[in-house]
C-alpha cells in the first residue's frame, strides 16, 4: 500500500527484528506458493503487519531457503498457515485494486507502470477474488466510493479516510472469535485512517503543485501545501486519537510472540513516522534515494 | 477464576511491591479514563474487573483471607466508571439517542439524530459523540465545538471538546512516555529503513 507502517528497528531487539523478517519472508513464500512468482512483487511491510495481526499467538514452524533478492543467502521464513494464506489473499486483492485505481487516476503514459503491473497481477487477482469474494466486493465498493469523494472534492477528512479505513477493517471479517474480530476491526480501521491521512499529508506539496485532490488542503485551507501552526496541531491531535484507538484495541487481545513488534510499532513507530511526515523529513519517494539511505545505514552500523 | 498471578503477569514468588506495581500498571492501561467513549470500553471493563479480582485474591491469600472483608475496592470500579450519557436531555428523542449511544447502538443513534430537526447544542454534542464512536475524530471535534459555541456554560460539552483537544496527553503508554505525534523525538528515517530486510518496503516494484 503505502509503506508508512514500519518496524522501528532501533527499538526492537535482534530477536524481534529476525521474527519480523521471518514473517516478511514467509508471506513472500505464501504469495509465491499460492499465486506464482509474479505475485511476490506486491510484498511490503503493510501486508506483513496484516499477516502478523491475523497470525496465531505462537510463531509456528519455520523453514530455510536461498533467496535471490538477498543474494542467494540462506534465509529462514515462517511456513504458511491459514492466517498467512488469508493475509496473502487479501493483499493480492488490495494490491490489484490499488493498481487499477492508479490506472484510472493517470493518463496513458503515467499509467503505464500501473497498467503493466496490474496485468501481471491479474491471474493472481482472479484466483484471490474467487477465494474471498466478499472481501473483493468490499474493496471494489470502497475504492469506488473513494473515487467519488475525490471527484466531488470532499473536504471531510473523516469521510475520505473512512472509505479507505473500511478496506482494512474488512480484512478482519473472516476472524472467527467475536472479541478478536472486534479488536482487529477497530485496530485496522484506525490503522487505515492513519495511513490514508499520512499519505495525504505526505503528498500535500506534490498535490498542491499538480492540482490533485488533497483532503487536508481542502479541510484546513492550506495554500501551496504548507501547514499553518494551528492546522498542524489540529491534524496531529486527530492522528493521535486514531493511534490511541489502535493502542487501546491492541491491549484487549493477546498477540503472543508478536507483542513486542506490535507494541513498539504502535506506541513508538507510528508517532515517529507521523512527526517525520509533518516535518517533511520522511523517507524519499524514489527507490534510488532509499538505496542511498540503506547504504548509509550499512555504513553507520 | 484463572490463576491471579498469571492475570497480573507476575510469578508467585513476586514481592508485595512487585505485585502492586504490576497491578497499578495494568489498572492504568485498562482504566475507564483510557477507554473514554471507546467502542471497546466494555471489553476493557471486563479486563479491569478481572485484574481487580486477581489483585484482591492475591491480597486475600497473602493476608490469610482477611483482605476481602476490609472493604477493598479496585481502580475503575467506583461509580464514576465508564463514560455514561446519563445526563437529562431536553427532549425524549435526544434521551433515546443517549441510551442508544450508551448501549453501543450507534446506527440507531445516528438515525434518530438524522430525523431530529432542531439542531441545538445538545444535538451537536450527541452528533459529536456518534462521530467519535465511528472513528470520525475530526467531525466529532467540530460538532463538540459547535455545541460549546451554542451553550458555552455546559460542562458536559466542554469536557468532550477538551478531551478531543488534549485528552491523549494522559493516554496510557507502556514506558510511561508522553503520547503524541508532536512530542516524539523524530530521528527516524535511517533507523526505519530496513537496510537488509526489505526488497521494496512499500512500493510496487518488481523485485523478485
Amino acid at each position: 500500500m503505502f509503506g508508512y507502517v514500519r518496524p522501528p528497528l532501533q527499538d526492537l531487539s535482534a530477536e524481534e527484528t529476525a521474527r519480523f523478517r521471518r514473517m516478511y519472508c514467509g508471506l513472500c513464500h505464501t504469495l509465491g506458493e499460492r499465486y506464482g512468482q509474479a505475485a511476490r512483487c506486491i510484498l511490503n511491510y503493510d501486508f506483513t503487519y496484516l499477516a502478523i495481526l491475523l497470525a496465531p499467538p505462537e510463531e509456528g514452524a519455520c523453514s530455510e531457503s536461498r533467496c535471490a533478492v538477498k543474494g542467494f543467502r540462506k534465509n529462514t521464513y515462517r511456513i504458511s498457515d491459514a492466517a498467512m494464506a488469508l493475509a496473502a489473499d487479501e493483499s493480492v486483492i488490495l494490491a490489484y485494486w490499488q493498481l487499477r485505481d492508479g490506472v484510472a487516476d493517470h493518463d496513458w503514459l503515467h499509467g503505464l507502470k500501473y497498467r503493466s503491473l496490474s496485468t501481471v497481477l491479474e491471474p493472481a487477482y482472479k484466483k484471490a477474488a474467487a477465494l474471498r469474494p466478499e472481501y473483493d466486493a468490499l474493496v471494489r465498493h470502497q475504492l469506488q466510493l473513494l473515487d467519488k469523494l475525490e471527484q466531488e472534492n470532499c473536504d471531510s477528512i473523516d469521510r475520505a479516510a473512512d472509505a479507505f479505513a473500511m478496506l482494512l477493517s474488512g480484512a478482519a471479517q473472516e476472524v472467527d472469535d467475536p472479541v478478536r474480530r472486534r479488536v482487529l476491526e477497530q485496530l485496522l480501521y484506525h490503522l487505515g485512517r492513519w495511513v490514508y491521512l499520512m499519505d495525504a499529508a505526505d503528498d500535500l506539496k506534490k498535490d498542491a503543485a499538480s492540482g490533485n485532490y488533497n483532503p487536508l488542503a481542502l479541510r484546513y485551507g492550506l495554500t501551496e501545501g504548507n501547514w499553518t501552526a494551528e492546522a498542524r496541531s489540529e491534524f496531529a491531535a486527530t492522528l493521535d486519537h486514531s493511534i490511541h484507538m489502535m493502542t487501546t484495541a491492541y491491549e484487549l487481545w493477546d498477540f503472543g510472540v508478536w507483542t513486542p513488534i506490535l507494541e513498539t510499532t504502535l506506541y513508538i513507530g507510528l508517532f515517529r513516522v507521523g512527526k517525520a511526515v509533518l516535518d517533511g523529513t520522511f523517507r524519499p519517494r524514489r527507490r534510488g534515494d532509499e538505496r542511498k539511505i540503506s547504504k548509509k545505514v550499512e555504513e553507520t552500523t | 477464576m484463572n490463576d491471579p498471578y498469571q492475570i497480573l503477569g507476575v510469578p508467585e514468588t513476586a514481592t508485595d511491591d512487585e505485585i502492586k506495581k504490576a497491578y497499578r500498571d495494568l489498572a492504568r492501561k485498562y482504566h475507564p479514563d483510557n477507554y473514554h467513549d471507546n467502542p471497546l470500553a466494555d471489553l476493557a471493563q471486563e479486563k479491569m474487573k478481572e485484574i481487580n479480582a486477581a489483585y484482591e485474591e492475591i491480597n486475600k491469600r497473602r493476608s490469610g483471607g482477611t483482605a476481602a472483608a476490609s472493604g477493598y475496592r479496585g481502580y475503575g470500579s467506583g461509580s464514576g466508571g465508564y463514560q455514561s450519557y446519563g445526563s437529562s436531555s431536553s427532549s425524549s428523542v435526544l434521551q433515546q439517542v443517549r441510551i442508544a449511544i450508551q448501549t453501543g447502538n450507534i446506527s440507531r443513534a445516528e438515525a434518530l439524530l438524522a430525523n431530529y430537526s432542531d439542531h441545538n447544542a445538545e444535538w451537536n454534542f450527541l452528533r459529536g459523540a456518534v462521530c467519535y464512536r465511528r472513528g470520525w475524530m475530526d467531525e466529532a471535534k467540530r460538532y463538540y465545538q459547535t455545541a460549546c459555541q451554542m451553550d458555552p456554560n455546559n460542562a458536559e460539552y466542554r469536557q468532550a471538546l477538551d478531551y478531543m483537544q488534549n485528552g491523549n496527553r494522559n493516554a496510557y503508554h507502556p514506558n510511561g512516555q508522553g503520547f503524541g505525534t508532536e512530542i516524539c523525538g523524530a530521528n527516524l528515517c535511517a533507523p526505519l529503513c530496513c537496510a537488509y530486510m526489505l526488497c521494496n518496503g512499500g512500493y510496487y516494484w518488481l523485485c523478485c
Side-chain angles (χ1 to χ4, degrees), chain B residues 6-79:
Chain B
Q6 208 180 338
I7 291 169
L8 296 190
V10 290
E12 280 194 41
T13 51
T15 64
D16 288 355
D17 279 350
E18 284 165 347
I19 288 166
K20 193 184 267 183
K21 190 176 170 299
Y23 168 70
R24 280 193 176 156
D25 189 56
L26 287 170
R28 221 159 45 82
K29 189 188 286 184
Y30 299 110
H31 196 276
D33 289 350
N34 202 37
Y35 284 83
H36 177 92
D37 280 2
N38 195 307
L40 302 178
D42 56 316
L43 299 177
Q45 197 169 11
E46 287 304 313
K47 279 266 187 195
M48 198 72 214
K49 275 185 197 159
E50 195 183 40
I51 293 156
N52 281 336
Y55 187 55
E56 195 174 356
E57 174 66 22
I58 292 173
N59 280 338
K60 198 166 102 182
R61 286 185 197 175
R62 291 195 171 196
S63 62
T66 56
S70 67
Y72 163 83
R73 293 188 76 185
Y75 284 112
S77 61
S79 56

Side-chain angles (χ1 to χ4, degrees), chain A residues 43 158 219 232 234 251, chain B residues 30 138-139 141 182 200:
Chain A
L43 180 70
D158 288 331
R219 159 67 178 91
R232 179 177 159 141
E234 264 194 68
E251 296 292 358
Chain B
Y30 299 110
D138 188 48
E139 306 265 319
K141 196 194 78 180
E182 291 289 27
N200 59 359

Side-chain angles (χ1 to χ4, degrees), chain B:
Chain B
M1 182 171 52
N2 293 329
D3 177 11
Y5 290 96
Q6 208 180 338
I7 291 169
L8 296 190
V10 290
E12 280 194 41
T13 51
T15 64
D16 288 355
D17 279 350
E18 284 165 347
I19 288 166
K20 193 184 267 183
K21 190 176 170 299
Y23 168 70
R24 280 193 176 156
D25 189 56
L26 287 170
R28 221 159 45 82
K29 189 188 286 184
Y30 299 110
H31 196 276
D33 289 350
N34 202 37
Y35 284 83
H36 177 92
D37 280 2
N38 195 307
L40 302 178
D42 56 316
L43 299 177
Q45 197 169 11
E46 287 304 313
K47 279 266 187 195
M48 198 72 214
K49 275 185 197 159
E50 195 183 40
I51 293 156
N52 281 336
Y55 187 55
E56 195 174 356
E57 174 66 22
I58 292 173
N59 280 338
K60 198 166 102 182
R61 286 185 197 175
R62 291 195 171 196
S63 62
T66 56
S70 67
Y72 163 83
R73 293 188 76 185
Y75 284 112
S77 61
S79 56
Y82 283 81
Q83 181 70 13
S84 71
Y85 284 87
S87 308
S88 61
S89 285
S90 54
S91 84
S92 65
V93 175
L94 295 184
Q95 188 62 37
Q96 284 176 48
V97 173
R98 284 176 183 270
I99 293 166
I101 294 173
Q102 207 169 351
T103 51
N105 194 346
I106 300 304
S107 301
R108 177 171 159 76
E110 211 160 29
L112 286 167
L113 286 169
N115 289 323
Y116 194 76
S117 54
D118 181 9
H119 294 185
N120 58 19
E122 188 182 6
W123 183 91
N124 277 284
F125 165 71
L126 293 173
R127 192 83 186 78
V130 165
C131 285
Y132 185 83
R133 297 289 181 114
R134 286 236 181 271
W136 289 39
M137 306 308 193
D138 188 48
E139 306 265 319
K141 196 194 78 180
R142 295 169 92 177
Y143 280 113
Y144 288 152
Q145 265 171 338
T146 309
C148 286
Q149 279 160 11
M150 293 171 99
D151 187 355
N153 297 321
N154 186 301
E156 190 182 24
Y157 310 162
R158 290 227 70 83
Q159 200 187 347
L161 179 60
D162 184 55
Y163 182 74
M164 290 315 294
Q165 288 164 335
N166 307 309
N168 283 321
R169 282 183 198 163
N170 301 319
Y172 170 82
H173 193 291
N175 308 326
Q177 293 168 7
F179 193 102
T181 299
E182 291 289 27
I183 56 171
C184 122
N187 174 26
L188 92 150
C189 196
L192 277 171
C193 293
C194 308
Y196 69 98
M197 293 169 62
L198 88 179
C199 58
N200 59 359
Y203 297 84
Y204 293 121
W205 295 101
L206 280 169
C207 64
C208 305

